Structures are given as structure tokens and as C-alpha cells.
Amino acid sequence: MELEKEEALLEAILFLESSPIDLSSLVKITNLSKEIVLKAIDSIKEKLANTDRGLELSEIGGGYQLIPKIEYWEYLKGKYGKKNENRLSRAAIETLSIVAYSQPITRAEIENIRGVAADNMIRLLLSRKLIKEVGKKDIPGKPVTYGTTQEFLTLFKLKSISDLPKLSDTDSKRFELNA
């Protein structure tokens, strides 16, 4: 089946989108069937991967996005990379990694693992929409539990939380909650 027009339409949509767009949105925008959209996406991925093109089609956080190939990022990051003021501190990254690997997790549990107060880091990560309140723990006081967001997946270019790098045994023990 020839999919040239469908691929061209999807490429144009993906080019115009500044963040990942999910399959159901692509189906709705194009008025194409889910199967045709998936076949066209696979074809676009394959064509971009097998050529000396500057872009790749990546699946990020349940959506699709055209992104620069990693080998070109060194040339691009100075002009197009995130500004330093948007960077996360080491403490913020540490707190975010604890939430990512231990979610759902309470503030007290984060502090237990980190060994320092986490209020400011939690506020920062909430304001950046990298974590969110996901519920309340069924213990006295019913503390809020936190988990990662779609923005977290997008920032780290992950399909899902299961795509996080696996931890070594030593690192896994660090993320365990001490009773």
C-alpha cells in the first residue's frame, strides 16, 4: 500500500507540533484510520533512521515527535538548547530521581532517602510540572504522595516510566525506604 500522501501529511503535522502528539490526536487531525497512521509512522521512522537526515521520529511519553538526531545535538544545543536558567540543580535532579524510581512517594519518604528537607525541591519540581500529587498514603495523617508527569517523560524523552535506566543493586538499595 502506498502511503506517500499520508506520510507527508503526518510529517507536516509532526513538524508543526512543538511537543509530542498522541496517536488518537493524529487520527482525529488526519481523519485517517489508526492502522494507516501507525503504518505511516513506522514508515517515516524507518526512512529517517536509514538516511543521513537530521531528524528522527521518536516516541516520547505516549506521543510522537520529530527531534534532532543525537549526533547533531552538539552543533545545535548552543542556539536551540534550553537556557541555563531552566536547568535543574543537582538537588532537584536527585529529588526527581527519587520520585521517579520510588513513586508513589511522600515528602517524608523523600527526606528519609535524601537525608535532608525536601520542601523546596518538591515545590520547584511541582512548579516545573515534573512531578504531581498522585494521591494520599493510607497511614495516619494521610500524607500526599508524588509521582512523575507527562512533562517528565517528555523532558527525558521516555515512552513510559518503565524506560528509566535500570539501577545497580547498590543504587537500588539507596532508593529503598528505611522503615
Side-chain angles (χ1 to χ4, degrees), residues 15-72:
F15 174 77
L16 293 170
E17 289 292 329
S18 60
S19 59
I21 183 168
D22 64 28
L23 180 62
S24 62
S25 297
L26 288 170
V27 167
K28 187 175 179 180
I29 293 168
T30 61
N31 289 321
L32 298 171
S33 72
K34 180 179 176 182
E35 294 75 27
I36 296 293
V37 170
L38 285 171
K39 285 180 183 177
I41 285 172
D42 286 341
S43 180
I44 293 167
K45 274 186 186 178
E46 188 176 318
K47 286 177 181 175
L48 290 174
N50 294 329
T51 61
D52 289 331
R53 306 286 296 272
L55 298 174
E56 65 183 346
L57 180 55
S58 186
E59 192 173 344
I60 300 171
Y64 299 93
Q65 185 174 21
L66 286 173
I67 61 171
K69 286 186 177 174
I70 193 76
E71 59 262 31
Y72 301 115

Side-chain angles (χ1 to χ4, degrees), residues 95-166:
T95 304
L96 183 57
S97 65
I98 291 168
V99 173
Y101 281 102
S102 304
Q103 61 187 307
I105 188 168
T106 66
R107 179 192 50 76
E109 291 167 337
I110 294 168
E111 290 172 347
N112 186 19
I113 292 170
R114 281 194 72 216
V116 297
D119 290 337
N120 289 336
M121 291 303 108
I122 290 172
R123 255 193 307 280
L124 172 70
L125 296 171
L126 285 168
S127 72
R128 297 269 182 100
K129 296 182 174 38
L130 295 173
I131 64 170
K132 65 181 178 183
E133 293 182 7
V134 295
K136 298 205 180 261
K137 191 159 187 169
D138 194 19
I139 59 173
K142 303 254 187 227
V144 170
T145 57
Y146 298 97
T148 56
T149 63
Q150 188 69 33
E151 286 81 0
F152 168 83
L153 295 175
T154 301
L155 178 66
F156 291 98
K157 295 178 176 44
L158 301 170
K159 286 183 194 177
S160 71
I161 202 71
S162 63
D163 290 334
L164 280 170
K166 301 300 176 225

